[in-house]
């Protein structure tokens, strides 16, 4: 997903080859950390700060990353100054998602799809992407990556959002019709608990979770929205 960042690093002038290799290993360490800790997009500066603080706390037990540690601060300084600061597409996408009050998981999924799209069309900037780039990318996911129909639809929806809210033109719809759609399952009426049953259910919860459950039930908050309060 981030191979295009490696290409940017390889093109960086004034950095020796050995140093570039060390920086790339440090970046891979950081990207892996963000994934393992479910922090989301590594391009978020807050995640970089979390990573550095955590690494400083556990420095003594990181002997396997001793070489990366020596270059870590310089690496992240370069990454956020030369890559993230110029990532207009990612910044605009995140701002658009939050302006539409998208759920955190939706933001995470959409940003991940944008990163894969950026990697695919590099060195073309995503802000200069055309409809043909989108079609080519989706065909690539289908033919070469073998993505399922649902994954193809999610990728199309993510990038359609990017085209509409960031690039401000409509994404081509021709590919959307090629994505096979599963049959719509028959709708069943949901089971609804009575007030007495709800009260009994809440009383069964530990006290520290009872307030959260009542708040979520009363307001309709998504689980991630509740946990992020």
């Amino acid at each position: 997903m981030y191979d295009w960042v490696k290409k940017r690093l390889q093109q960086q002038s004034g950095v020796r080859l050995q140093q570039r290799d060390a920086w790339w290993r440090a970046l891979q360490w950081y990207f892996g950390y963000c994934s393992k800790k479910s922090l989301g997009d590594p391009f978020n500066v807050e995640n970089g700060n979390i990573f550095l603080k955590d690494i400083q706390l556990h420095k003594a037990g990181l002997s396997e990353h001793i070489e990366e540690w020596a270059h870590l601060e310089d690496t992240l300084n370069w990454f956020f100054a030369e890559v993230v600061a110029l990532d207009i597409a990612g910044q605009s996408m995140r701002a658009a998602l939050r302006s539409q009050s998208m759920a955190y998981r939706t933001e995470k999924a959409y940003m991940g799809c944008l990163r894969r799209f950026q990697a695919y069309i590099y060195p073309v900037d995503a802000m200069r992407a055309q409809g043909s780039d989108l079609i080519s990318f989706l065909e690539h996911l289908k033919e070469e990556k073998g993505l399922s129909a649902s994954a193809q639809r999610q990728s199309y929806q993510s990038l359609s959002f990017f085209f509409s809210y960031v690039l401000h033109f409509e994404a081509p719809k021709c590919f959307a019709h090629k994505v096979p759609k599963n049959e719509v399952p028959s709708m069943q009426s949901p089971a609804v608990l009575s007030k007495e049953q709800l009260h009994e259910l809440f009383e069964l919860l530990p006290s520290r979770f009872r307030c959260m459950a009542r708040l979520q039930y009363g307001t309709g908050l998504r689980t991630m929205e509740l946990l992020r309060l």
Side-chain angles (χ1 to χ4, degrees):
M1 184 187 302
Y2 301 109
D3 286 348
W4 65 281
V5 177
K6 183 178 182 180
K7 293 177 182 177
R8 284 282 299 275
L9 180 58
Q10 291 171 342
Q11 296 168 357
Q12 182 69 24
S13 60
V15 181
R16 293 179 290 104
L17 178 60
Q18 185 177 4
Q19 188 176 2
R20 290 176 190 171
D21 292 340
W23 282 18
W24 176 240
R25 288 194 295 272
L27 283 174
Q28 288 180 303
W29 182 17
Y30 170 56
F31 295 155
Y33 176 90
C34 289
S35 176
K36 183 178 180 180
K37 299 293 184 179
S38 299
L39 294 179
D41 191 13
F43 282 61
N44 189 334
V45 178
E46 295 176 1
N47 291 340
N49 293 332
I50 292 172
F51 174 64
L52 283 176
K53 289 179 181 178
D54 195 16
I55 295 306
Q56 289 170 355
L57 287 174
H58 301 90
K59 182 178 179 180
L62 297 172
S63 57
E64 72 275 16
H65 291 292
I66 188 64
E67 184 178 358
E68 290 86 345
W69 171 262
H71 299 276
L72 191 56
E73 189 170 350
D74 289 340
T75 302
L76 291 183
N77 285 339
W78 172 84
F79 176 65
F80 285 109
E82 299 294 333
V83 179
V84 176
L86 302 178
D87 179 36
I88 306 302
Q91 295 172 20
S92 301
M93 178 70 155
R94 186 178 293 107
L97 287 165
R98 294 183 179 180
S99 71
Q100 297 298 310
S101 301
M102 294 291 193
Y104 174 71
R105 287 185 178 178
T106 301
E107 177 182 322
K108 184 177 177 181
Y110 277 34
M111 290 301 300
C113 185
L114 175 62
R115 297 308 180 198
R116 287 186 286 273
F117 180 61
Q118 286 177 303
Y120 178 77
I121 66 173
Y122 185 84
V124 175
D125 191 317
M127 294 300 292
R128 298 178 179 271
Q130 302 295 322
S132 57
D133 296 319
L134 173 58
I135 294 174
S136 176
F137 174 65
L138 293 173
E139 291 286 3
H140 164 73
L141 295 180
K142 178 183 178 181
E143 301 297 336
E144 298 183 29
K145 296 297 183 180
L147 261 63
S148 65
S150 61
Q152 293 174 51
R153 284 198 299 275
Q154 183 182 35
S155 297
Y156 178 78
Q157 291 167 356
S158 302
L159 294 175
S160 292
F161 182 93
F162 174 71
F163 273 70
S164 297
Y165 287 88
V166 178
L167 301 184
H168 303 296
F169 67 87
E170 190 174 359
K173 293 183 177 180
C174 56
F175 190 86
H177 300 298
K178 297 180 183 179
V179 179
K181 293 186 177 181
N182 298 327
E183 294 183 1
V184 178
S186 58
M187 300 298 292
Q188 297 181 353
S189 299
V192 180
L193 300 179
S194 66
K195 291 183 178 180
E196 293 75 16
Q197 289 174 320
L198 281 171
H199 180 72
E200 292 177 3
L201 177 62
F202 289 145
E203 290 302 317
L204 291 174
L205 295 173
S207 58
R208 65 181 183 276
F209 297 135
R210 194 174 303 148
C211 179
M212 296 172 65
R214 291 181 183 276
L215 177 63
Q216 185 175 28
Y217 175 76
T219 61
L221 287 172
R222 299 182 179 95
T223 301
M224 288 302 299
E225 292 173 335
L226 176 68
L227 295 176
R228 296 177 74 191
L229 289 177

